[in-house]
Amino acid sequence: MTNGDEPHYLLQMHSLLVDHDLEVQNNYANLDYREFFVGETLNVGAYLYRYHGRTIRHHFSLGMPLLLTPAYALGGRVGVQLLLALLTAGGMSCLLLVARRFMPPSIAFASVLLCALLYPIVIYSHQIYPETIVMALVAFVLAQTLAVSEARLRRRAVLVGVAVGVMPHFQNKFILLSALLFAFFLWSTRTDLKTALRWSLPPIVLLAAGHLAWAYVIYGELGRSALISPGYPLLVDARIDDGVLGLWFDQEVGLGFYAPLYLMALPGAIILLRQPQRRAATCWLVIIYTSFHLLSGAYYDWPAGLSPAPRYLIPVIPVLVIFVGAALEWLLRRGQFLQPLLLTLITVYFTYLILFVQRAYMFPFYIGTNSILREHFRANHLIIWLTTWLPSFLRAPETAYVSLAIVGIIFLTGMAILIPVNRLLIAALNRPTDRTDA
């Protein structure tokens, strides 16, 4: 089934294919969405609104319908999902090239493959959202920035220019991400900056002009109110730290709960920052990730697109995968294999629950509480002890921070206990066996 924004994106593709336009009012009226939406009626109110006498689609950008309509024409909803899965696989292949710049090839392959097959990447690989596509574009730009020889600078510059230029065509919120990725590319090509600018700027300028022209066609103006989410509040509807911390630690939509494997990203980033040869590139990756995280967390509707683990973080998941791989390599080199194994098994189990037991665990039917604990484990008594960062359900700030501190202490204590256990197991495995001659 399709949920949330998915049927609305599909309806745009349907309109473009059948009516040869993006005026979707008649398609809503004709119930054309019944081909790919299970339910009586689709909520139209949040997706069509009046703006200075015009009827505007909330998702007005051209990126999704133009890219995915050919797949919709060939295979309908399944064709679109297949194309998105292929784009995700291509993005992970690009990410493998990047990861090999930061760690040995075997660890890079294991880290990228493991993360690609687990939550959240495997779940979002076929979901019809722009974040999935932008994740592949981010991995592609990082590969062109870090993993290709200098001899191909012209070709790389054109490809990067197209990739970062097209990101805002999926949603305006990707403008900052595309700008930082482009700055990272220019920094990496600073020895021949003129060539990089000469070949990358033309596609960026053309795509930016096209984006502004389309916005003018839709809104009839290029004012601030037209370009920054018209019809919605601008930013803060609650305390900003609700979203900044909630994207990781909220019990219902937090990445740390549903995919604890990514908790290794923080030590992984610190490990890379301590390596002089990788410090500069790592700083850029930290800036790219942090800026996008803060932007997503500060937005008034921060709860991750109401789907765990945060859909809003999907575009920068490639950065976290690199950091996870760095931590994995550091731990394994020191014989500390139980910590990543434990985090991986939890992530595998949650991925299994969502894919094969009840996919509804992915959707927050109980706003503010954890669906898996409530429905699968019947652990209602545990839910009250987990932090709820959703603004409308936020408890007293001191309670939330104390709860977060307790979770952190438990995690660190568990990791500390596992260190000597690792050593005992390794010693037992390496102990020579006694032989008795016959």
Short mmCIF file of all heavy atoms in Angstrom, two decimals, residues 291-331:
data_model
loop_
_atom_site.label_atom_id
_atom_site.label_comp_id
_atom_site.label_asym_id
_atom_site.label_seq_id
_atom_site.Cartn_x
_atom_site.Cartn_y
_atom_site.Cartn_z
N SER A 291 24.61 20.08 9.44
CA SER A 291 23.75 21.15 8.93
C SER A 291 22.39 20.60 8.52
O SER A 291 21.35 21.21 8.80
CB SER A 291 24.42 21.85 7.75
OG SER A 291 24.60 20.94 6.67
N PHE A 292 22.40 19.43 7.88
CA PHE A 292 21.12 18.86 7.45
C PHE A 292 20.32 18.37 8.65
O PHE A 292 19.08 18.51 8.69
CB PHE A 292 21.36 17.71 6.47
CG PHE A 292 20.13 17.30 5.72
CD1 PHE A 292 19.68 18.04 4.64
CD2 PHE A 292 19.40 16.19 6.10
CE1 PHE A 292 18.53 17.67 3.94
CE2 PHE A 292 18.25 15.82 5.42
CZ PHE A 292 17.82 16.57 4.34
N HIS A 293 21.00 17.81 9.63
CA HIS A 293 20.31 17.36 10.84
C HIS A 293 19.66 18.53 11.57
O HIS A 293 18.50 18.46 11.99
CB HIS A 293 21.30 16.65 11.76
CG HIS A 293 20.68 16.09 13.00
ND1 HIS A 293 20.63 14.74 13.25
CD2 HIS A 293 20.08 16.68 14.07
CE1 HIS A 293 20.01 14.53 14.40
NE2 HIS A 293 19.67 15.70 14.92
N LEU A 294 20.41 19.61 11.72
CA LEU A 294 19.86 20.78 12.43
C LEU A 294 18.69 21.39 11.66
O LEU A 294 17.70 21.80 12.27
CB LEU A 294 20.97 21.82 12.63
CG LEU A 294 22.09 21.43 13.58
CD1 LEU A 294 23.16 22.51 13.61
CD2 LEU A 294 21.55 21.19 14.99
N LEU A 295 18.80 21.43 10.34
CA LEU A 295 17.71 21.97 9.53
C LEU A 295 16.45 21.12 9.70
O LEU A 295 15.34 21.65 9.88
CB LEU A 295 18.12 22.02 8.06
CG LEU A 295 17.08 22.57 7.08
CD1 LEU A 295 16.80 24.04 7.36
CD2 LEU A 295 17.54 22.37 5.64
N SER A 296 16.61 19.81 9.66
CA SER A 296 15.46 18.91 9.79
C SER A 296 14.88 18.97 11.20
O SER A 296 13.66 18.93 11.39
CB SER A 296 15.87 17.47 9.47
OG SER A 296 16.34 17.37 8.13
N GLY A 297 15.75 19.07 12.20
CA GLY A 297 15.28 19.10 13.57
C GLY A 297 14.63 20.40 13.96
O GLY A 297 13.75 20.43 14.84
N ALA A 298 15.05 21.50 13.34
CA ALA A 298 14.50 22.81 13.68
C ALA A 298 13.18 23.08 12.99
O ALA A 298 12.40 23.92 13.43
CB ALA A 298 15.50 23.92 13.31
N TYR A 299 12.90 22.37 11.91
CA TYR A 299 11.66 22.61 11.17
C TYR A 299 10.47 22.28 12.04
O TYR A 299 10.50 21.33 12.84
CB TYR A 299 11.65 21.76 9.90
CG TYR A 299 10.53 22.11 8.95
CD1 TYR A 299 10.41 23.40 8.45
CD2 TYR A 299 9.60 21.17 8.56
CE1 TYR A 299 9.38 23.73 7.58
CE2 TYR A 299 8.57 21.48 7.69
CZ TYR A 299 8.47 22.77 7.21
OH TYR A 299 7.45 23.10 6.36
N TYR A 300 9.40 23.01 11.89
CA TYR A 300 8.27 22.89 12.81
C TYR A 300 7.68 21.49 12.81
O TYR A 300 7.14 21.01 13.81
CB TYR A 300 7.19 23.92 12.44
CG TYR A 300 6.20 23.40 11.43
CD1 TYR A 300 4.92 23.00 11.82
CD2 TYR A 300 6.54 23.27 10.09
CE1 TYR A 300 4.02 22.51 10.90
CE2 TYR A 300 5.66 22.79 9.17
CZ TYR A 300 4.39 22.41 9.57
OH TYR A 300 3.50 21.91 8.67
N ASP A 301 7.75 20.80 11.69
CA ASP A 301 7.16 19.47 11.57
C ASP A 301 8.26 18.43 11.66
O ASP A 301 8.35 17.53 10.84
CB ASP A 301 6.41 19.36 10.24
CG ASP A 301 5.52 18.12 10.18
OD1 ASP A 301 5.20 17.60 11.26
OD2 ASP A 301 5.18 17.69 9.08
N TRP A 302 9.12 18.54 12.68
CA TRP A 302 10.34 17.74 12.73
C TRP A 302 10.12 16.24 12.84
O TRP A 302 11.05 15.49 12.51
CB TRP A 302 11.22 18.19 13.90
CG TRP A 302 10.72 17.74 15.25
CD1 TRP A 302 9.96 18.45 16.10
CD2 TRP A 302 10.95 16.48 15.88
NE1 TRP A 302 9.68 17.72 17.23
CE2 TRP A 302 10.28 16.50 17.12
CE3 TRP A 302 11.64 15.33 15.52
CZ2 TRP A 302 10.28 15.42 18.00
CZ3 TRP A 302 11.64 14.24 16.40
CH2 TRP A 302 10.97 14.30 17.62
N PRO A 303 8.99 15.70 13.32
CA PRO A 303 8.97 14.28 13.66
C PRO A 303 9.20 13.34 12.48
O PRO A 303 8.43 12.42 12.22
CB PRO A 303 7.58 14.06 14.26
CG PRO A 303 7.17 15.37 14.77
CD PRO A 303 7.74 16.34 13.78
N ALA A 304 10.28 13.59 11.74
CA ALA A 304 10.85 12.61 10.84
C ALA A 304 9.93 12.15 9.74
O ALA A 304 10.08 11.08 9.19
CB ALA A 304 11.32 11.40 11.64
N GLY A 305 8.95 12.98 9.36
CA GLY A 305 7.99 12.54 8.36
C GLY A 305 7.03 11.52 8.93
O GLY A 305 6.40 10.76 8.19
N LEU A 306 6.95 11.47 10.27
CA LEU A 306 6.10 10.49 10.96
C LEU A 306 6.39 9.08 10.48
O LEU A 306 5.47 8.30 10.17
CB LEU A 306 4.62 10.84 10.80
CG LEU A 306 4.13 12.02 11.64
CD1 LEU A 306 2.65 12.26 11.41
CD2 LEU A 306 4.40 11.80 13.11
N SER A 307 7.66 8.74 10.39
CA SER A 307 8.00 7.36 10.07
C SER A 307 9.38 7.05 10.63
O SER A 307 10.34 7.74 10.31
CB SER A 307 7.98 7.12 8.55
OG SER A 307 8.90 7.95 7.90
N PRO A 308 9.48 6.06 11.47
CA PRO A 308 10.77 5.69 12.03
C PRO A 308 11.56 4.87 11.01
O PRO A 308 10.93 4.22 10.17
CB PRO A 308 10.40 4.81 13.22
CG PRO A 308 8.94 4.60 13.15
CD PRO A 308 8.38 5.32 11.98
N ALA A 309 12.84 4.77 11.03
CA ALA A 309 13.70 5.81 11.59
C ALA A 309 13.61 7.03 10.67
O ALA A 309 13.16 6.92 9.53
CB ALA A 309 15.13 5.31 11.65
N PRO A 310 14.01 8.18 11.13
CA PRO A 310 13.64 9.44 10.48
C PRO A 310 13.85 9.48 8.97
O PRO A 310 14.95 9.36 8.48
CB PRO A 310 14.55 10.45 11.17
CG PRO A 310 14.84 9.85 12.50
CD PRO A 310 14.88 8.38 12.28
N ARG A 311 12.75 9.64 8.24
CA ARG A 311 12.87 9.81 6.80
C ARG A 311 13.66 11.06 6.46
O ARG A 311 14.37 11.11 5.45
CB ARG A 311 11.47 9.89 6.18
CG ARG A 311 11.48 9.82 4.66
CD ARG A 311 10.08 9.88 4.10
NE ARG A 311 9.60 11.24 4.00
CZ ARG A 311 8.40 11.64 4.42
NH1 ARG A 311 7.59 10.79 4.99
NH2 ARG A 311 8.03 12.90 4.27
N TYR A 312 13.56 12.08 7.30
CA TYR A 312 14.25 13.34 7.02
C TYR A 312 15.77 13.19 7.03
O TYR A 312 16.47 14.01 6.46
CB TYR A 312 13.83 14.41 8.03
CG TYR A 312 12.40 14.86 7.89
CD1 TYR A 312 11.79 15.60 8.89
CD2 TYR A 312 11.64 14.55 6.77
CE1 TYR A 312 10.47 16.03 8.78
CE2 TYR A 312 10.33 14.95 6.64
CZ TYR A 312 9.74 15.69 7.65
OH TYR A 312 8.45 16.09 7.53
N LEU A 313 16.29 12.15 7.70
CA LEU A 313 17.75 11.96 7.76
C LEU A 313 18.27 11.09 6.63
O LEU A 313 19.48 10.95 6.47
CB LEU A 313 18.14 11.33 9.10
CG LEU A 313 18.02 12.21 10.34
CD1 LEU A 313 18.55 11.47 11.56
CD2 LEU A 313 18.76 13.53 10.17
N ILE A 314 17.39 10.50 5.84
CA ILE A 314 17.81 9.56 4.81
C ILE A 314 18.82 10.16 3.83
O ILE A 314 19.80 9.49 3.46
CB ILE A 314 16.58 9.01 4.05
CG1 ILE A 314 15.76 8.12 4.98
CG2 ILE A 314 16.98 8.22 2.82
CD1 ILE A 314 16.52 6.94 5.53
N PRO A 315 18.68 11.41 3.38
CA PRO A 315 19.67 11.94 2.43
C PRO A 315 21.11 11.93 2.94
O PRO A 315 22.04 11.82 2.13
CB PRO A 315 19.18 13.38 2.19
CG PRO A 315 17.71 13.31 2.42
CD PRO A 315 17.55 12.35 3.56
N VAL A 316 21.32 12.04 4.25
CA VAL A 316 22.69 12.08 4.78
C VAL A 316 23.08 10.77 5.46
O VAL A 316 24.14 10.71 6.09
CB VAL A 316 22.87 13.27 5.74
CG1 VAL A 316 22.90 14.57 4.98
CG2 VAL A 316 21.79 13.29 6.82
N ILE A 317 22.28 9.73 5.32
CA ILE A 317 22.66 8.42 5.83
C ILE A 317 24.00 7.95 5.24
O ILE A 317 24.78 7.30 5.94
CB ILE A 317 21.54 7.39 5.55
CG1 ILE A 317 20.39 7.58 6.55
CG2 ILE A 317 22.06 5.97 5.61
CD1 ILE A 317 20.71 7.13 7.96
N PRO A 318 24.33 8.23 3.95
CA PRO A 318 25.64 7.83 3.45
C PRO A 318 26.81 8.31 4.30
O PRO A 318 27.81 7.61 4.45
CB PRO A 318 25.67 8.44 2.04
CG PRO A 318 24.24 8.46 1.62
CD PRO A 318 23.48 8.80 2.87
N VAL A 319 26.70 9.51 4.86
CA VAL A 319 27.77 10.02 5.72
C VAL A 319 27.87 9.16 6.97
O VAL A 319 28.97 8.80 7.42
CB VAL A 319 27.51 11.49 6.08
CG1 VAL A 319 28.56 12.00 7.06
CG2 VAL A 319 27.50 12.36 4.83
N LEU A 320 26.73 8.81 7.56
CA LEU A 320 26.74 7.99 8.76
C LEU A 320 27.31 6.60 8.48
O LEU A 320 27.99 6.02 9.33
CB LEU A 320 25.32 7.86 9.33
CG LEU A 320 24.67 9.14 9.86
CD1 LEU A 320 23.28 8.83 10.41
CD2 LEU A 320 25.53 9.79 10.93
N VAL A 321 27.05 6.06 7.31
CA VAL A 321 27.58 4.74 6.96
C VAL A 321 29.11 4.77 6.96
O VAL A 321 29.77 3.82 7.44
CB VAL A 321 27.04 4.28 5.60
CG1 VAL A 321 27.71 2.98 5.16
CG2 VAL A 321 25.53 4.09 5.66
N ILE A 322 29.69 5.83 6.44
CA ILE A 322 31.15 5.96 6.44
C ILE A 322 31.68 5.98 7.87
O ILE A 322 32.67 5.31 8.21
CB ILE A 322 31.57 7.23 5.69
CG1 ILE A 322 31.21 7.10 4.21
CG2 ILE A 322 33.07 7.49 5.85
CD1 ILE A 322 31.39 8.38 3.43
N PHE A 323 31.02 6.74 8.74
CA PHE A 323 31.45 6.82 10.14
C PHE A 323 31.28 5.48 10.85
O PHE A 323 32.13 5.08 11.65
CB PHE A 323 30.67 7.91 10.87
CG PHE A 323 30.95 9.30 10.37
CD1 PHE A 323 30.07 10.34 10.61
CD2 PHE A 323 32.10 9.58 9.63
CE1 PHE A 323 30.32 11.62 10.17
CE2 PHE A 323 32.36 10.87 9.17
CZ PHE A 323 31.47 11.88 9.44
N VAL A 324 30.19 4.77 10.57
CA VAL A 324 29.97 3.45 11.16
C VAL A 324 31.09 2.50 10.74
O VAL A 324 31.63 1.73 11.56
CB VAL A 324 28.60 2.88 10.75
CG1 VAL A 324 28.50 1.39 11.09
CG2 VAL A 324 27.48 3.64 11.45
N GLY A 325 31.46 2.54 9.47
CA GLY A 325 32.54 1.68 8.99
C GLY A 325 33.87 1.98 9.66
O GLY A 325 34.64 1.07 9.98
N ALA A 326 34.14 3.26 9.91
CA ALA A 326 35.39 3.64 10.59
C ALA A 326 35.42 3.07 12.01
O ALA A 326 36.46 2.57 12.47
CB ALA A 326 35.53 5.15 10.61
N ALA A 327 34.29 3.17 12.72
CA ALA A 327 34.23 2.61 14.07
C ALA A 327 34.34 1.09 14.05
O ALA A 327 35.02 0.49 14.90
CB ALA A 327 32.92 3.03 14.76
N LEU A 328 33.70 0.45 13.07
CA LEU A 328 33.76 -0.99 12.95
C LEU A 328 35.20 -1.46 12.72
O LEU A 328 35.68 -2.42 13.35
CB LEU A 328 32.86 -1.45 11.80
CG LEU A 328 32.75 -2.95 11.57
CD1 LEU A 328 32.11 -3.63 12.78
CD2 LEU A 328 31.93 -3.24 10.31
N GLU A 329 35.91 -0.75 11.85
CA GLU A 329 37.30 -1.12 11.57
C GLU A 329 38.17 -0.96 12.82
O GLU A 329 39.02 -1.80 13.12
CB GLU A 329 37.83 -0.24 10.43
CG GLU A 329 39.18 -0.68 9.87
CD GLU A 329 40.33 0.05 10.52
OE1 GLU A 329 40.10 1.14 11.08
OE2 GLU A 329 41.47 -0.47 10.47
N TRP A 330 37.96 0.11 13.57
CA TRP A 330 38.74 0.38 14.78
C TRP A 330 38.49 -0.70 15.83
O TRP A 330 39.42 -1.19 16.49
CB TRP A 330 38.37 1.75 15.32
CG TRP A 330 39.25 2.25 16.42
CD1 TRP A 330 40.39 2.98 16.32
CD2 TRP A 330 39.03 2.07 17.84
NE1 TRP A 330 40.90 3.26 17.57
CE2 TRP A 330 40.09 2.71 18.51
CE3 TRP A 330 38.04 1.43 18.58
CZ2 TRP A 330 40.18 2.72 19.90
CZ3 TRP A 330 38.14 1.43 19.96
CH2 TRP A 330 39.20 2.07 20.61
N LEU A 331 37.22 -1.10 16.01
CA LEU A 331 36.89 -2.11 17.02
C LEU A 331 37.43 -3.48 16.64
O LEU A 331 38.02 -4.18 17.49
CB LEU A 331 35.36 -2.17 17.20
CG LEU A 331 34.71 -0.99 17.92
CD1 LEU A 331 33.20 -1.03 17.76
CD2 LEU A 331 35.08 -0.99 19.39
#
